Amino acid sequence: MGNEQQVITMALAKGRLAEKTFDLLEKMGLDCTGPRNPGRQLVIEDPASAMRYILVKPSDVATYVDHGVADLGVVGKDSLLEAGRPLYELLDLGFGACRLCVAGYPRGEEPSVSHATFRVATKYPNIARSYFSSQGRTIEIIELHGSVELGPVIGLSDVILDIVESGATLRANGLEVLEEVCPCSARLVCNRVSLKTKRERIRSLVDGLAEGLGSRA
Ligand code: PRP
């Protein structure tokens, strides 16, 4: 009985990042049938591998891990930077690669605007505040929760600060990258206390995931 494994709770950003993470866990021999098909279930237990999964919005992954109700999390670097929580970043998983950028109309083609302050529409108000203030630029942040490209197109903002993956959304709306803020990709993050109390389990999961990444086709 003494060798029962400690259960690890993993918070995953719903969608492609979660699917890619399940690919890696399956390479390690874990059965991810349950979390791949959760239905309306919010907590998916896998007693056989002593794992528990919660599938949440990307912007909430860091919150669950920081509060310790999840030991590990998989989320994009963009969401992590925005959350600004004191988590350990254990692995760059490589997938979900994109760039955080300032984008808008090509220089010289900006429509004239009526507002006095330079406006930035974004899902990332904290990143935008710190990026522009580090350059001594005064801005007004317009916080949106999706379809951010609409900002400049409809005259709500001068530019956007958003993730760019293929660039297709920008192109389709006559916009382009003006400044690159930083590259982003999925990260494995860990609660600071869990890293001490579940050290061995976490280490073996991290080693397995890293090995899976190394052997990626
Ligand atoms: C993201 C992002 C951009 C788009 C970038 O939006 O906010 O709008 O993808 O991808 P692309 O460079 O390949 O076009 P998402 O699809 O998550 O939807 P949202 O606008 O509702 O947030």
Side-chain angles (χ1 to χ4, degrees):
M1 286 298 279
N3 59 356
E4 262 179 36
Q5 283 193 311
Q6 289 175 302
V7 174
I8 293 289
T9 302
M10 199 175 214
L12 299 154
K14 276 187 230 178
R16 215 160 54 87
L17 297 192
E19 292 304 320
K20 292 265 189 192
T21 307
F22 297 144
D23 291 347
L24 283 174
L25 293 170
E26 282 168 350
K27 271 193 187 177
M28 295 168 58
L30 275 67
D31 179 7
C32 294
T33 320
R36 277 194 195 276
N37 307 283
R40 305 293 294 175
Q41 210 179 331
L42 298 172
V43 181
I44 303 102
E45 312 265 359
D46 178 20
S49 57
M51 293 291 290
R52 199 155 75 121
Y53 302 93
I54 54 176
L55 295 164
V56 302
K57 290 207 174 212
S59 54
D60 290 338
V61 169
T63 307
Y64 286 97
V65 177
D66 188 26
H67 284 276
V69 290
D71 303 297
L72 295 174
V74 173
V75 66
K77 180 70 179 177
D78 52 321
S79 301
L80 280 181
L81 285 171
E82 181 61 21
R85 289 180 182 266
L87 310 176
Y88 288 126
E89 218 179 281
L90 300 181
L91 269 184
D92 181 348
L93 297 165
F95 48 77
C98 58
R99 298 177 293 156
L100 262 174
C101 296
V102 176
Y105 284 106
R107 300 211 197 275
E109 292 177 29
E110 306 93 337
S112 59
V113 288
S114 55
H115 42 267
T117 317
F118 190 74
R119 288 181 171 182
V120 181
T122 187
K123 291 185 268 193
Y124 304 96
N126 294 329
I127 297 173
R129 205 170 290 117
S130 103
Y131 176 73
F132 285 99
S133 82
S134 74
Q135 302 186 338
R137 293 153 79 185
T138 305
I139 58 158
E140 179 185 349
I141 292 169
I142 311 277
E143 188 171 353
L144 296 176
H145 298 96
S147 306
V148 176
E149 292 81 1
L150 256 177
V153 170
I154 212 151
L156 175 64
S157 69
D158 297 278
V159 297
I160 62 172
L161 186 150
D162 198 15
I163 52 166
V164 178
E165 195 177 345
S166 65
T169 312
L170 290 182
R171 279 193 298 279
N173 291 287
L175 307 174
E176 67 176 24
V177 171
L178 302 173
E179 298 163 40
E180 196 168 316
V181 178
C182 65
C184 294
S185 54
R187 307 296 158 99
L188 178 73
V189 291
C190 184
N191 174 269
R192 293 154 75 97
V193 175
S194 301
L195 194 59
K196 294 192 178 77
T197 56
K198 301 184 178 179
R199 175 175 288 277
E200 290 313 314
R201 267 237 69 196
I202 288 173
R203 181 176 296 166
S204 86
L205 279 168
V206 171
D207 288 350
L209 290 168
E211 204 177 305
L213 285 173
S215 65
R216 219 169 17 183

